[in-house]
Amino acid sequence: MEAGEGGPFGAIIAKDNQIIGRGWNRVTSAKDPTAHAEIEAIRQACQTIDSFSLKGCRIYSSCEPCPMCLAAIYWARLDELIFAATREDAAQAGFDDRILYQQMSIPIDERSLPTKNSGRKIAQAVFKQWIKKIDKIHY
């Protein structure tokens, strides 16, 4: 934050009491809306242990994760999440994720982002190929 890389957020990931991943918000400097602290820490931790699974690890975050980061934490299979500031604290500082939580809980056709389903049969064919794939890596 003080170096001008992004907002006031940081995260670390630990395994066996050792830090294996660190991240801080780099949204503005990386020009990447996904460069949140938790995402950056997850990416680094996965590289450190050479795995897409962070089972056996815990993440410490300076703030309650946004919906994107929370989803990534679940996808990474982290064992525990510990956070400091709440989403309400973040909102008071200008980082309000309330609309994201609201949008996810309403039907697709009622969301503020126009969304439609198209090409489903083609996509289903790809899933059928995946189901039959013998050498797939389950995740």
Side-chain angles (χ1 to χ4, degrees):
M1 173 185 79
E2 292 177 356
E5 291 190 4
F9 303 97
I12 60 169
I13 296 176
K15 181 179 178 81
D16 301 325
N17 295 317
Q18 298 290 320
I19 296 173
I20 61 167
R22 303 173 197 272
W24 54 91
N25 185 283
R26 296 180 53 247
V27 169
T28 56
S29 62
K31 295 174 183 45
D32 178 354
T34 69
H36 289 201
E38 296 88 346
I39 301 292
E40 297 283 304
I42 288 168
R43 289 174 179 156
Q44 189 179 90
C46 287
Q47 292 298 308
T48 299
I49 66 169
D50 193 28
S51 177
F52 59 83
S53 174
L54 295 176
K55 197 162 188 53
C57 302
R58 73 174 41 108
I59 185 167
Y60 298 86
S61 181
S62 65
C63 188
E64 182 177 356
C66 73
M68 174 185 69
C69 292
L70 185 59
I73 289 166
Y74 275 97
W75 281 116
R77 296 180 181 83
L78 284 146
D79 288 3
E80 187 176 15
L81 161 65
I82 299 102
F83 65 88
T86 65
R87 67 174 101 161
E88 291 80 13
D89 299 328
Q92 289 178 355
F95 300 94
D96 193 350
D97 296 329
R98 199 172 353 173
I99 187 153
L100 298 175
Y101 289 101
Q102 292 168 346
Q103 290 291 303
M104 289 188 309
S105 65
I106 61 175
I108 290 173
D109 59 347
E110 294 177 24
R111 294 180 185 167
S112 63
L113 176 66
T115 305
K116 60 183 163 189
N117 184 234
S118 177
R120 184 173 179 204
K121 287 188 190 231
I122 296 168
Q124 286 175 321
V126 176
F127 282 127
K128 287 177 183 172
Q129 287 178 299
W130 172 256
I131 290 167
K132 293 176 185 175
K133 187 172 172 48
I134 295 169
D135 62 343
K136 64 185 164 208
I137 298 173
H138 292 273
Y139 61 97

